[in-house]
Amino acid sequence: MENSSSYSDQESDSLEAGNGSGFKVHVFSSSSELLERLHEKWSSVKKQPYPAMYSSTFGGIILDPAMMVIPIDDHMVHRGHGVFDTAIILNGYLYELDAHLDRFLRSASNARISSPFPRSALQSILVQLSAASQCKKGTLRYWLSAGPGDFLLSPAGCPTSAFYAVVIDDDFSQCKEGVKVVTSTVPMKAPQFATMKNVNYLPNVLSKMEAEEKGAFASIWVDEEGYIAEGPNVNVAFINHDKELVLPLFDKILSGCTAKRLLELASKLVEQGHLKDVRNTNLTVEEAKGAAEMMFVGSTLPVLPIISWDEQPIGDGKVGELTMALSDLLWDDMVAGPEVQRIPVPDV
């Protein structure tokens, strides 16, 4: 049998040479040959980044990376008809899974996707998946799709919705270095779509790419009324000169689980006299750029200091003390917070 490792090399050489007319596509003669090719691809990976996946179309947990696939006729693939959410795995615990699952099911309802399982079963699947992965630190991502069926616009031909989940091995740590941001020129999503966590992330991708091309970490969206919205996949927060923690209202943007938890935990700094107040409100660009401190807030960060916006320093251009105090609060909550926030992953 022809060596499968040569297929991609031959195809690449042919394309690079511009020999499109002579380009020959290999036809896999059997599923075993295809699996051999896929296993060969993954055998060169030093560390498997995705230790486990769940698929309702397969009906179980998959440990073989070569089989971590979804059907191409899944409505989420060719029409973007799907929603997703995430949770953190840290020290063998799932952090804020309940809050994320609640938002997940709200997003699914808004996208008119029914779950193939009740909420309790979804949670059980995710806990069992995390256990099977044996991952102690990483992220858990999961999707609800209208399901596979056909390639039409309507999901009427999809017999049942589908649930997918994957564990991603990720050695994240507390962010202590400041980053730069720019104002996005990519139009933000309409509130109906921005407030649900759906898979249509092309505006987010383009916004992130725009920032990177300008030497920044990410971008900031400003809505049509001139108020601060959010980052491409994170919320944004500010400390004003009155020492108030201020986050934009969630009426036109995604209601961040981590951002909402930050608002709860920040009350401790108010009690200690370090912060004067904590609130959600509309912020103009002028107010935001004039803040004393600025930060991104998201699951794996959990807080990322921002020191420059459109080449202008935020505050004194250094990582703020209150930003790091808030980061410490969230990190401590992730590591040793109350049981209601942390679900233990059982040993296999």
Side-chain angles (χ1 to χ4, degrees), residues 6 28 99 111 117 129 159 189 197 217 249 251 266 280 297 321:
S6 65
F28 290 97
F117 308 108
L129 173 66
K189 299 174 189 174
K197 201 168 177 67
F217 174 79
L249 295 171
D251 55 344
N280 286 96
V297 183
E321 291 184 5

Side-chain angles (χ1 to χ4, degrees), residues 3 55 63 154 163 173 203 218 233 243 247 249 251 270 294 333:
N3 188 326
S55 168
L63 301 179
S154 169
F163 180 58
S173 58
N233 63 340
K243 292 193 174 182
L247 277 77
L249 295 171
D251 55 344
V270 176
M294 179 179 177
D333 196 56

Side-chain angles (χ1 to χ4, degrees), residues 208-274:
K208 175 73 169 176
M209 292 176 68
E210 176 186 38
E212 292 175 342
E213 289 166 0
K214 294 179 179 180
F217 174 79
S219 57
I220 303 292
W221 266 312
V222 178
D223 70 22
E224 59 185 14
E225 295 181 81
Y227 294 125
I228 303 304
E230 59 186 342
N233 63 340
V234 284
N235 290 105
V236 62
F238 304 86
I239 304 290
N240 63 26
H241 290 281
D242 291 327
K243 292 193 174 182
E244 297 174 316
L245 172 64
V246 183
L247 277 77
L249 295 171
F250 295 135
D251 55 344
K252 297 180 182 179
I253 60 175
L254 190 68
S255 177
C257 296
T258 307
K260 291 170 75 174
R261 183 59 179 160
L262 178 66
L263 288 168
E264 294 175 10
L265 293 171
S267 62
K268 295 180 181 179
L269 296 184
V270 176
E271 293 169 3
Q272 296 167 3
H274 301 300

